[in-house]
Amino acid sequence: CLKCDRTQEDLAGLFLRSDTEGRGYLTFDGFFQLMSMYKVEVESILQPCIRDSRGLIQVGASKERFFGANLIEKNRSNVNGQEHISISTGAMKSQNFSQELYESRIASLQRFVSMTVMFHQMGSRVQNYFANTSFGLLGYRMDRSHSIMRIATTASPISGAEIRDRAKIIHYMRKVRHSVHIISVAWLEYKRRKNEERNNDFELKSCSYGNSK
């Protein structure tokens, strides 16, 4: 159904979409069909086309305050006076996939460039300091000494998300190994006590049998 917070441009787009014959007004059947649309259908109609005249996808810059803000606003509702946000599983998966693409293609490059610039600036300042304070006697070239930055600025081959997931797996594996170790120690202690009891019973039976003779 239509929401009252739609902009005038959205309402005009819905009207033009429903007025297929270009009469400038809607019939009762067309109005009823428009009002009977589901929220997903309305969103699909109002979704702007991202392809140009050549059919190529043109993705514009996002104006969201944070990634996923529009998705939250479109799925926000009030149930019994309480704010409720219901996001489908498909939308959540698309958000995760977009974040993975951003991490592997943009965020990792930004970290690499910032780290490269930072370490290069540090090395350059140290190089200039010794050259200026010693009148050139202790001067050296940064690219021909042990302070070379090509090793220190090697980019991480995996993303931060993979490191976080791997850390969780390692944490759970440590818990499993600790549990297995505790169970193994308890089982060995149980076997030891059983063997001692069996040996004690055997010795008692042997002594009683010898005394009877």
Side-chain angles (χ1 to χ4, degrees):
C1 61
L2 293 176
K3 294 172 60 178
C4 60
D5 58 349
R6 294 292 181 187
T7 62
Q8 189 172 0
E9 290 79 8
D10 294 343
L11 296 177
L14 290 174
F15 177 82
L16 295 176
R17 179 71 170 74
S18 302
D19 186 17
T20 57
E21 298 180 0
R23 292 176 293 187
Y25 63 91
L26 295 178
T27 62
F28 177 79
D29 294 336
F31 177 76
F32 180 78
Q33 183 179 3
L34 177 62
M35 297 300 296
S36 301
M37 285 184 178
Y38 290 102
K39 185 178 179 180
V40 177
E41 296 176 341
V42 175
E43 294 295 339
S44 62
I45 293 175
L46 296 178
Q47 188 70 23
C49 182
I50 60 175
R51 294 185 181 271
D52 57 8
S53 58
R54 298 173 297 174
L56 301 177
I57 296 178
Q58 302 294 331
V59 181
S62 176
K63 298 181 181 179
E64 297 177 322
R65 292 184 294 108
F66 57 90
F67 185 73
N70 293 338
L71 181 64
I72 293 177
E73 291 296 330
K74 292 178 181 178
N75 292 274
R76 191 189 303 272
S77 60
N78 289 325
V79 179
N80 298 327
Q82 295 182 354
E83 189 177 18
H84 181 69
I85 299 176
S86 177
I87 302 178
S88 62
T89 305
M92 292 297 296
K93 289 184 178 179
S94 65
Q95 292 286 98
N96 293 335
F97 180 67
S98 300
Q99 288 285 23
E100 290 178 0
L101 290 178
Y102 172 78
E103 172 66 27
S104 59
R105 282 144 176 88
I106 300 176
S108 58
L109 177 62
Q110 289 178 344
R111 290 195 301 270
F112 169 72
V113 173
S114 61
M115 188 170 57
T116 302
V117 173
M118 180 185 68
F119 280 106
H120 184 274
Q121 183 66 17
M122 290 171 58
S124 178
R125 289 192 177 188
V126 174
Q127 169 189 267
N128 297 333
Y129 172 78
F130 282 104
N132 295 332
T133 55
S134 63
F135 301 100
L137 296 177
L138 299 179
Y140 64 95
R141 288 184 56 180
M142 182 174 60
D143 58 337
R144 293 183 178 272
S145 65
H146 292 290
S147 64
I148 191 168
M149 292 291 104
R150 285 183 296 180
I151 299 177
T153 56
T154 303
S156 177
I158 57 178
S159 64
E162 293 180 3
I163 294 176
R164 182 173 60 252
D165 295 338
R166 188 174 299 178
K168 290 182 179 179
I169 294 175
I170 293 174
H171 176 68
Y172 291 133
M173 289 298 297
R174 287 178 178 175
K175 283 190 172 182
V176 171
R177 291 174 182 173
H178 181 66
S179 301
V180 171
H181 175 70
I182 292 177
I183 294 173
S184 300
V185 171
W187 170 248
L188 293 175
E189 181 65 20
Y190 174 78
K191 286 180 64 177
R192 186 185 64 80
R193 285 184 298 177
K194 282 295 183 180
N195 292 331
E196 289 181 355
E197 292 176 359
R198 190 180 298 110
N199 294 333
N200 293 333
D201 293 340
F202 180 76
E203 290 178 359
L204 290 175
K205 290 180 180 179
S206 299
C207 291
S208 61
Y209 179 76
N211 292 331
S212 63
K213 284 186 176 182

